[in-house]
Amino acid sequence: MKNSVETLGVFLLGTAVGAALGILFAPDAGEETRNALAETATNSWDTIKEKVKTGEDELNQYKDQAVDYKNQVADQAKAKVSEYKDKAADLKDKAVDYKDQAVDDAKSKAKEKSNDINNDIQQA
């Protein structure tokens, strides 16, 4: 975009210098010179409009690319968040399973010890 602005500036400067030199050294009659200047001005204006349109098109293209990229990144982030939520839920479920298993094992061992103690008491 910077190049387009610089190019446009150089073009306008060249047009102005050329027009001024054309007026100074014009061998044509006044009406012919005015017609030539009007044509140059019209051509210059058309060129400026084309450059502006090209710049607008480029900006719109960059904007569309930026929006697409933003949407891609947002979708990827949502997918990662979902993935990590699923992993966290799995880890929580495993932790609950391990806790339940540990409690069951502790109860079983306590019951075993209790039975051993009761047996020892009855045999004594």
Side-chain angles (χ1 to χ4, degrees), residues 4-56:
S4 296
V5 172
E6 289 175 3
T7 303
L8 181 61
V10 168
F11 173 77
L12 291 175
L13 179 62
T15 301
V17 169
L21 289 174
I23 290 171
L24 290 174
F25 297 107
D28 297 329
E31 187 173 338
E32 290 175 16
T33 301
R34 284 190 298 277
N35 288 340
L37 286 174
E39 184 178 338
T40 300
T42 300
N43 291 341
S44 296
W45 182 248
D46 290 344
T47 302
I48 290 169
K49 288 192 295 188
E50 287 174 18
K51 293 280 185 185
V52 167
K53 176 68 174 134
T54 300
E56 287 175 348

Side-chain angles (χ1 to χ4, degrees), residues 2-121:
K2 185 178 178 186
N3 260 350
S4 296
V5 172
E6 289 175 3
T7 303
L8 181 61
V10 168
F11 173 77
L12 291 175
L13 179 62
T15 301
V17 169
L21 289 174
I23 290 171
L24 290 174
F25 297 107
D28 297 329
E31 187 173 338
E32 290 175 16
T33 301
R34 284 190 298 277
N35 288 340
L37 286 174
E39 184 178 338
T40 300
T42 300
N43 291 341
S44 296
W45 182 248
D46 290 344
T47 302
I48 290 169
K49 288 192 295 188
E50 287 174 18
K51 293 280 185 185
V52 167
K53 176 68 174 134
T54 300
E56 287 175 348
D57 291 345
E58 287 177 4
L59 281 175
N60 285 331
Q61 182 180 8
Y62 292 138
K63 180 195 79 150
D64 291 344
Q65 288 174 350
V67 167
D68 290 344
Y69 183 71
K70 175 205 62 116
N71 290 337
Q72 254 183 336
V73 169
D75 290 344
Q76 290 172 352
K78 286 176 186 175
K80 283 293 181 189
V81 166
S82 179
E83 177 185 339
Y84 290 135
K85 279 183 178 180
D86 291 345
K87 284 183 180 180
D90 289 344
L91 288 173
K92 177 189 160 260
D93 291 343
K94 284 182 181 178
V96 167
D97 290 346
Y98 287 140
K99 181 228 16 141
D100 290 344
Q101 184 63 44
V103 167
D104 289 345
D105 288 349
K107 284 180 181 179
S108 175
K109 289 192 188 243
K111 179 98 170 147
E112 225 176 85
K113 284 294 180 188
S114 174
N115 288 340
D116 288 347
I117 292 172
N118 283 337
N119 287 338
D120 286 346
I121 291 174

